[in-house]
Amino acid sequence: MFTNRILLVDDEPWSLLALNASFEWEAFNFHVAAQTSNPFEALELLKTGNFHIAFVDIRMPGMTGLELIQAAKAAHIETDFIITSGYADFSYAQEALRYGVFDYLLKPIKSEVTQPLLEKLSLHMAKKRLQGDAARYDLLWKDEITVMEAFSIPSEMSLYGEWQVIECHDIHLEPAWQQELSAQSHVWKLVISNNSTVYIIN
């Protein structure tokens, strides 16, 4: 099961604790992979490309949440952003929407909004992944990018030149296949439609 990696950014440590505890992350295949109270550190973390979603406080010293998002967009970082704020000011929300944020949450975050948000976010990420995988597969099929480029594979792995492609249509993999695939050192998965999955194995 694919897990969406979350980054939490807030200059107040207690807010990070509250944010972490407010959501049932694992129930919707999310994982808080990192958290920081420093927006400059957050930008460096985002540049690694390892985070699918970032929850960002709107007011932080040195760099506001909106400035952080703007810097991430300028660096072509594809992370989706959710703004958190203790200020019920429509102008803040309006500006956040102009930056293309996924949602705007008021602190303290109420329990009744957490599950609907994760459900909406989970659906959004599934659609985004499906579109991205299909586009990547199309480029591979047309031989416009290499497997190494498609999956950002470290250059030291270029020594391993043999690739096997397994395409599955309208079926679920048998448990034995699942175990064999999970045991492989280097497996990349592309979901190219609702009923078609491609596994590329080194």
Side-chain angles (χ1 to χ4, degrees), residues 31-65:
H31 168 63
V32 177
Q35 54 188 29
T36 178
S37 56
N38 185 324
F40 297 97
E41 181 184 11
L43 183 58
E44 293 306 309
L45 287 168
L46 288 167
K47 286 178 180 178
T48 66
N50 289 331
F51 301 93
H52 301 99
I53 306 106
F55 285 69
V56 178
D57 185 28
I58 200 166
R59 280 194 173 182
M60 294 182 289
M63 182 189 294
T64 68

Side-chain angles (χ1 to χ4, degrees), residues 66-118:
L66 294 178
E67 289 170 341
L68 173 59
I69 293 170
Q70 185 179 28
K73 299 286 187 184
H76 305 290
I77 294 168
E78 295 184 2
T79 302
D80 283 290
F81 292 92
I82 294 172
I83 284 287
T84 61
S85 174
Y87 303 91
D89 187 331
F90 180 69
S91 63
Y92 277 116
Q94 198 173 33
E95 189 173 2
L97 290 173
R98 283 201 297 269
Y99 281 82
V101 302
F102 183 79
D103 212 333
Y104 185 98
L105 294 178
L106 284 177
K107 296 188 291 186
I109 297 169
K110 297 180 180 179
S111 58
E112 59 265 28
V113 306
T114 59
Q115 182 169 330
L117 174 62
L118 289 185

